Amino acid sequence: MSESFKHDKKIRLAVLTVSDTRTKETDLGGKLVQELAEEKGLDIAAYRIVPDDAQCIRQTVKDWLQEEKVDVVITTGGTGIAKRDVTLEAISPLFEKQLDGFGELFRYVSFLEDVGTKALLSRAAAGVANDKAIFVLPGSRGAVKLAMNRLILPEIRHIVFELTKHLQPRE
């Protein structure tokens, strides 16, 4: 397999904001995901805001997992410990494999660089399904910026390459 595939493939993201109160105008976390991704040359294939409703969240992600135009799904919001925070419960059953290191590293870096011991309340997670990566992020701009800049964007091309290399013809 050519290394150029890993570096040259156009990565397409679907961004889902989970919130009962956010609108496209007030969704700062979802906007930041899109801005940071586009700065790194990634495309935004889809964007939606859905309420904190497990069925609605799960169905949206399931639909995107079937889309050929989506390589990565990134969600923001609903990862805390409040009763309405159901994003992880909605999405984790879809994971074929979990990427435990993402949540561990996110909480570690959050502890060191952002919110201190409040990081233990985060249930940020990641996994893969249908040859696509799924990242479940908190909704705050600080958490989004940290996750995107420190963890997701530095590895996204390698992750997509690993998930799709079996689909590429051998040289």
Side-chain angles (χ1 to χ4, degrees):
M1 177 56 54
S2 162
E3 282 296 307
S4 65
F5 173 77
K6 179 168 78 170
H7 300 292
D8 295 339
K9 182 181 188 312
K10 195 63 150 170
I11 307 294
R12 300 155 302 181
L13 272 62
V15 180
L16 178 66
T17 295
V18 177
S19 175
D20 289 332
T21 60
R22 298 275 190 263
T23 66
K24 287 190 178 184
E25 292 74 35
T26 62
D27 178 22
L28 301 179
K31 282 182 189 174
L32 186 57
V33 169
Q34 294 175 72
E35 290 167 9
L36 293 172
E38 288 174 333
E39 284 175 12
K40 294 295 183 182
L42 283 63
D43 286 343
I44 306 304
Y47 167 66
R48 281 192 68 191
I49 299 174
V50 298
D52 291 286
D53 175 85
Q55 286 184 312
C56 189
I57 297 164
R58 184 177 298 120
Q59 190 59 54
T60 301
V61 173
K62 280 176 75 172
D63 290 346
W64 285 344
L65 290 174
Q66 301 309 310
E67 286 282 337
E68 205 172 295
K69 68 178 184 175
V70 173
D71 301 303
V72 177
V73 174
I74 298 178
T75 72
T76 66
T79 62
I81 60 171
K83 191 88 167 155
R84 296 284 296 159
D85 292 328
V86 296
T87 303
L88 188 57
E89 287 75 16
I91 295 174
S92 63
L94 302 175
F95 292 165
E96 295 165 5
K97 295 182 180 185
Q98 279 191 236
L99 299 175
D100 294 327
F102 174 79
E104 294 163 358
L105 282 171
F106 176 81
R107 284 180 282 282
Y108 176 72
V109 176
S110 293
F111 172 76
L112 291 178
E113 299 181 13
D114 192 24
V115 295
T117 55
K118 290 178 184 164
L120 68 88
L121 285 92
S122 173
R123 298 183 316 128
V128 299
N130 199 28
D131 302 324
K132 300 172 191 328
I134 305 166
F135 295 94
V136 182
L137 309 181
S140 76
R141 283 181 56 87
V144 166
K145 184 176 180 182
L146 185 134
M148 292 293 288
N149 287 335
R150 298 275 286 153
L151 302 172
I152 297 171
L153 292 173
E155 289 300 321
I156 196 67
R157 294 189 186 288
H158 183 226
I159 291 167
V160 171
F161 170 76
E162 288 295 325
L163 290 172
T164 59
K165 67 184 178 184
H166 71 279
L167 301 172
Q168 302 306 312
R170 294 183 179 240
E171 293 180 358

